Amino acid sequence: MSQGAVALSRWLVVVAGLRLLSVYIGLFDPGRFRTALIDLQPGLVNDLYGRLFATWTVLTCGLCLICARNPTNAAIYGATLLSFVVALTHFATELLVFKTMSLRGAAAPMVIAGLSTLWMGAGWNYYTLYSNQQPAGERAAASGGHDNDGKTDSMRLALLAAARAAQQAAWAPGAPGGACARLLGGGGSRALAAAAGDHPADDAEAPGERVQQLAQDIMSLSVLECSQLSNLLREKLGVPRGAAVPMMAAAMAAPPPAAGAAPEADAAPPAKEKTEFDVKLESFTPEGKIKVIKEIRALTALGLKEAKELVEKAPVVIKTGVSKADAEAMQKQLEAVGGKVVME
């Protein structure tokens, strides 16, 4: 848990304790509300008011304690924040609209509810999003040193980012980086990728102490830090974003064919199977026009006027980028009511 989340948890525990005190007063000493809270119209306070106030406060107290236990859960966090907003609104309306409370009586609960609302409202993204990206080292410590998922993911991300950035720097035309980039672009990048689980390493040489220390540092990175590492390596090695690694490097590294060996025929790359299709209405029969319009409305969610205008423009594409199965189903539906449809 981050330091910010720890601070919020402690604050929520304090607020829960104060709310428990209000629960006790509401159940066993509701008369105190007449002087400490509803001091301008004390006649409104009775035993029923005290019990209702205590019931609401028990619920909000429970929310505070649950959120203090897990402040990074968005649903629990949102419910707790809502309880503070409701409390702040309640005391503000009693003070300003119904005039049942003086500023002296409303000050303490409004300060607590207002401060909590501002804190949790302003920190929503931090607590529910960024605090969940807990460093791998902290997760490992919390789980007795075994952080199989977080640590492995962070390590793989960092190693693969380093390998790809370095390899791009090695072969990008005119890119700086020197011998280090060239080394990483060749066997070094393959070793990094192999360590990340991309493919087996070619070299079996034992790493030195410096490399081992680097591996330990990478294993402790969070996912956010891995992304920052990738960007930093690109910047240091002069690799522009999106730069591709030329395939010529692999061809240059390949050994020449043995003398007398028969040249292999160039294998044609397999044709890529088309996965997305456009459905085009070529024409329709005059008697089937109304049914075709109805089918177009059902398939496209257009209004009656828009569907009619679309059909009358035939030949016209009525759906783009759909799967083969969906395209065939649409073709059958429209042809069943008199339309002529093709898949492109």
Side-chain angles (χ1 to χ4, degrees):
M1 188 182 295
S2 66
Q3 292 183 351
V6 171
L8 178 62
S9 295
R10 291 174 178 172
W11 169 253
L12 291 174
V13 170
V14 171
V15 174
L18 295 174
R19 286 179 164 178
L20 279 177
L21 178 60
S22 297
V23 172
Y24 174 83
I25 294 174
L27 292 176
F28 303 108
D29 191 13
R32 185 175 297 184
F33 285 145
R34 296 188 182 96
T35 57
L37 198 62
I38 313 297
D39 52 347
L40 294 185
Q41 296 187 32
L44 296 176
V45 179
N46 54 28
D47 291 345
L48 178 60
Y49 175 91
R51 290 194 296 272
L52 290 174
F53 190 89
T55 301
W56 156 254
T57 308
V58 164
L59 293 175
T60 57
C61 177
L63 277 176
C64 284
L65 292 176
I66 295 172
C67 189
R69 181 69 178 85
N70 189 8
T72 59
N73 183 292
I76 297 174
Y77 189 98
T80 307
L81 173 59
L82 179 62
S83 74
F84 284 120
V85 172
V86 172
L88 180 61
T89 304
H90 167 69
F91 291 117
T93 53
E94 292 296 330
L95 172 66
L96 301 174
V97 179
F98 301 111
K99 310 292 186 181
T100 61
M101 305 171 67
S102 66
L103 182 60
R104 179 180 65 85
M110 287 187 66
V111 166
I112 294 174
L115 179 59
S116 301
T117 299
L118 289 175
W119 187 345
M120 297 186 72
W124 175 277
N125 286 338
Y126 173 78
Y127 293 113
T128 61
L129 297 178
Y130 302 128
S131 289
N132 284 324
Q133 296 180 348
Q134 188 179 6
E138 294 182 14
R139 288 195 301 266
S143 60
H146 302 285
D147 181 27
N148 296 328
D149 294 333
K151 188 193 307 184
T152 301
D153 290 344
S154 295
M155 181 179 65
R156 283 173 57 85
L157 283 171
L159 290 175
L160 286 173
R164 288 165 184 166
Q167 192 176 40
Q168 288 173 356
W171 300 110
C180 178
R182 293 287 176 181
L183 176 60
L184 286 172
S189 65
R190 290 194 299 272
L192 282 171
D198 210 12
H199 57 73
D202 296 332
D203 305 318
E205 183 179 353
E209 181 179 350
R210 183 179 178 186
V211 176
Q212 292 180 356
Q213 181 59 45
L214 176 62
Q216 291 296 326
D217 293 340
I218 291 177
M219 290 170 65
S220 66
L221 295 177
S222 67
V223 175
L224 180 61
E225 290 168 334
C226 287
S227 176
Q228 293 171 346
L229 171 62
S230 174
N231 294 335
L232 180 61
L233 284 170
R234 289 178 180 274
E235 179 183 344
K236 294 292 185 183
L237 297 175
V239 180
R241 286 188 176 273
V245 182
M247 296 303 295
M248 186 61 70
M252 293 172 60
E264 296 182 1
D266 293 333
K272 186 177 181 181
E273 184 179 356
K274 190 173 182 180
T275 58
E276 293 186 350
F277 297 84
D278 295 342
V279 181
K280 184 176 182 180
L281 176 66
E282 289 283 349
S283 61
F284 52 88
T285 60
E287 60 273 14
K289 179 179 178 180
I290 295 178
K291 293 181 179 179
V292 171
I293 292 174
K294 289 181 179 180
E295 288 296 330
I296 293 295
R297 289 190 64 191
L299 293 172
T300 62
L302 292 174
L304 178 59
K305 180 182 178 182
E306 291 81 2
K308 181 176 179 294
E309 291 175 351
L310 182 65
V311 170
E312 291 174 346
K313 291 179 182 178
V316 63
V317 175
I318 60 174
K319 204 83 169 181
T320 61
V322 298
S323 66
K324 183 178 181 180
D326 291 342
E328 290 176 345
M330 293 172 64
Q331 184 180 24
K332 291 180 180 178
Q333 286 180 251
L334 290 169
E335 289 181 346
V337 295
K340 181 181 178 182
V341 179
V342 295
M343 295 166 48
E344 297 181 340

